[in-house]
Amino acid sequence: MSLRTYEALFIVRPDVEDDNIQAIARETENLVTKSGGAIVRSEVWGRRRLAYTVKKFSEGIYILIRFQSSPNFIARLENYFRLSEQIIRYIVVYFDEKTLRLEAEQAQRRQELEAGYGQQSDKDENLVPISKSIAEEEEDEE
Amino acid sequence: MAHISAKAKSKIKMKRLKRRKKKRIFRKRTSRLTIERIVYIDYKDTNLLRHYITERGKIIPRRITGATAKQQHMLTKAVKLARQIALLPFVAE
């Protein structure tokens, strides 16, 4: 079976100790590798505020794992996330060829931008001030 | 049936056109996505996504942000994924 690229982002309960967080990350990685998958990237983002409460927690520890595996492994991985007491929320996203290509292109472009105009301060002017443009829009309507 | 001369017809047409022109002046809007030539919008990039949702957490329509159909599609998908994993709110009070 051909391998596909996936990304699993999941949230661990905030009351888990730091050592155990690493253990959870390792455990998930092992699950992937044992089923013939390969880890591409593994990151622990650390403690973050959640945008809304999940299982009565307003904080959580985010862990991101990018991996390659066969598609039928995903059901098992999701089952593991669902059964785990420590994991309060998860998503698994499939990256197709085109998305991967675009992402790589974007990453390269960002690097160039940072290298090229790192010191330029007018970069912020390009950020569309949405509230301002809404005001303009309303003016137009009149 | 009353006969309307070609001249009168064109007059009416012009009038209608004029009215329509007066009513709305459209300005082409270019989004930051086009200016910075962003080709991929990541659901994890909340700093970028926050520019495209209101304070309430709603996705801002294309007619206001000036994003192209392609860009808006990607934005919407990214925002919806980010909401699932609690990076962005469904509704913010």
Side-chain angles (χ1 to χ4, degrees), chain A residues 9-14 45-63 88-90, chain B residues 46 50 82-92:
Chain A
L9 181 60
F10 54 97
I11 310 173
V12 181
R13 296 163 64 108
W45 288 5
R47 203 171 287 264
R48 269 181 80 118
R49 258 202 89 74
L50 303 178
Y52 50 87
T53 51
V54 179
K55 303 220 170 143
K56 295 189 179 161
F57 294 113
S58 58
E59 285 189 324
I61 295 132
Y62 280 78
I63 301 176
I88 54 175
R89 193 53 75 94
Y90 66 89
Chain B
T46 46
R50 279 199 189 273
R83 281 176 180 167
Q84 280 184 44
I85 196 73
L87 288 173
L88 291 179
F90 282 100
V91 273

Side-chain angles (χ1 to χ4, degrees), chain B residues 27-93:
Chain B
R27 198 188 322 135
K28 216 185 273 171
R29 246 174 256 276
T30 335
S31 77
R32 165 184 175 220
L33 298 173
T34 314
I35 295 165
E36 293 188 8
R37 298 201 294 157
I38 290 171
V39 289
Y40 174 73
I41 299 158
D42 194 55
Y43 71 97
K44 302 187 290 297
D45 190 357
T46 46
N47 288 337
L48 175 76
L49 295 179
R50 279 199 189 273
H51 287 277
Y52 295 93
I53 60 171
T54 65
E55 281 153 43
R56 274 233 135 200
K58 290 178 170 185
I59 298 171
I60 296 172
R62 203 140 64 81
R63 85 185 120 84
I64 292 169
T65 61
T68 65
K70 219 177 185 176
Q71 292 165 343
Q72 187 74 6
H73 200 84
M74 235 191 302
L75 270 173
T76 313
K77 290 223 157 169
V79 169
K80 286 177 177 180
L81 272 176
R83 281 176 180 167
Q84 280 184 44
I85 196 73
L87 288 173
L88 291 179
F90 282 100
V91 273
E93 239 75 28

Side-chain angles (χ1 to χ4, degrees), chain A residues 5 66 95-109, chain B residues 39-40 70:
Chain A
T5 306
R66 170 79 70 105
F95 281 73
D96 61 10
E97 299 273 308
K98 195 183 162 198
T99 317
L100 282 171
R101 205 173 54 236
L102 288 177
E103 198 198 21
E105 197 183 324
Q106 186 59 51
Q108 197 190 343
R109 191 159 286 168
Chain B
V39 289
Y40 174 73
K70 219 177 185 176

Side-chain angles (χ1 to χ4, degrees), chain A residues 3 32-33 36-41 66-69:
Chain A
L3 294 182
V32 175
T33 44
I39 306 288
V40 179
R41 209 168 69 202
R66 170 79 70 105
F67 60 95
Q68 288 180 318
S69 82

